[in-house]
Amino acid sequence: MTEAGKGILAMIASCTVWGLSGIYYKALSHVPPEQVLSHRALWSFVFFAIVLLCQGRIAELGAALSTRRSALLLAFASAMISLNWFIFISAVQLGYATEASLGYYVFPLLSVLLGRLAFGERLTPAQGVAVFLAGLAVAVLSFGLGAAPWIPLALSFSFALYGVVKKQLPLGPVVSVTAEVALLLPVALTIIWMTGGAGFLGGFLDALMLMFSGILTGLPLILFAYAARRVRLGTVGVLQYLNPTLQFLVAVLVFTEPFTGWHGIAFALIWSAVAVFSFSALRQERASRRAAMAATGVSAQIR
């Protein structure tokens, strides 16, 4: 199998784990979300620290927090990812997994918009159409529900802002996330101590599931990082939509959450936006590939 093929399999595996993770956190509905989040942070740190130790890179963790700018950026990233995790876990436990899946559909489109605002990245006409359709979907759902869809908005904004910060950090994914959960540890350990174990008192199975949440968080990220180095960016962008699609199917088919006509209209607009965005991304990827091949050909002729 080619390296690109291995990367695609790794990407599908990571997105599948993320997309089906709602089933796991639904099984922990009897454990308050802040306790689940605390254990997720703790055992994620343990998992990533072991990975860094095995790679002989644990010293990079201290270096990542050595400068004031890096520490502040990591602190903000830590706040955004913990907010994202907390909202997702709460949404699944309270029966709003459908809205959560909408948030992860909107996130890549919102990232494109933030890229334009924060970094001056050019927005192609197709991307502009996709962002408009996503905004229209949120407006339709707001009108239909009679209130702003806070869950998808909070999830998409927190993850998009997280991405903006990560873009400014010259750190690898494992070092960066380890530093982020390390900054969460004081709060997580305080909650675990104040609640007498934070879910561990529920029995052996609960304790095992809470501990395994560290692997459930860390392993897909490592697979994603492996894939991102081997798969073209346009392909990565398209495959990422497997995550919210699986979340949506789990919410409607497994959790049997209500799916109203307003949800139908909003998701139709979102899927249209995804189709436009994905088609544009693949076209840009092909154009870049042709340009690179042409440049290589010209260079060879000159030599």
Side-chain angles (χ1 to χ4, degrees), residues 70-126:
S70 179
L72 288 174
L73 287 173
L74 284 167
F76 184 78
S78 177
M80 289 300 99
I81 198 61
S82 60
L83 176 63
N84 189 272
W85 288 352
F86 179 76
I87 293 170
F88 176 72
I89 294 167
S90 300
V92 168
Q93 290 188 349
L94 296 174
Y96 295 101
T98 306
E99 278 77 2
S101 70
L102 178 61
Y104 288 111
Y105 272 119
V106 172
F107 146 67
L109 306 173
L110 183 59
S111 292
V112 170
L113 183 59
L114 287 180
R116 176 73 180 91
L117 298 175
F119 303 109
E121 296 176 355
R122 191 173 66 87
L123 209 65
T124 67

Side-chain angles (χ1 to χ4, degrees), residues 175-252:
V175 174
S176 177
V177 177
T178 308
E180 290 157 23
V181 291
L183 292 171
L184 282 175
L185 270 184
V187 177
L189 292 173
T190 300
I191 291 174
I192 291 172
W193 176 73
M194 290 181 64
T195 54
F200 262 46
L201 300 180
F204 176 76
L205 182 59
D206 281 357
L208 195 63
M209 289 185 70
L210 288 169
M211 292 176 67
F212 187 75
S213 67
I215 298 175
L216 192 66
T217 300
L219 186 57
L221 184 66
I222 291 175
L223 288 171
F224 183 87
Y226 175 88
R229 290 194 297 268
R230 291 162 175 80
V231 181
R232 291 183 176 274
L233 192 59
T235 306
V236 169
V238 174
L239 288 175
Q240 278 190 87
Y241 283 108
L242 178 62
N243 171 23
T245 300
L246 287 174
Q247 287 184 18
F248 169 75
L249 292 174
V250 166
V252 175

Side-chain angles (χ1 to χ4, degrees), residues 64-65 67-78 119 162-173 175-177 179-180:
L65 295 165
T67 67
R68 186 166 181 255
R69 181 178 182 276
S70 179
L72 288 174
L73 287 173
L74 284 167
F76 184 78
S78 177
F119 303 109
Y162 177 72
V164 169
V165 175
K166 296 284 275 190
K167 192 177 177 69
Q168 301 176 65
L169 282 168
L171 302 171
V175 174
S176 177
V177 177
E180 290 157 23

Side-chain angles (χ1 to χ4, degrees), residues 121-164:
E121 296 176 355
R122 191 173 66 87
L123 209 65
T124 67
Q127 289 173 336
V129 170
V131 170
F132 171 77
L133 289 173
L136 186 59
V138 171
V140 165
L141 197 58
S142 299
F143 178 80
L145 299 179
W150 294 114
I151 290 173
L153 286 174
L155 282 172
S156 57
F157 268 100
S158 59
F159 212 33
L161 288 172
Y162 177 72
V164 169

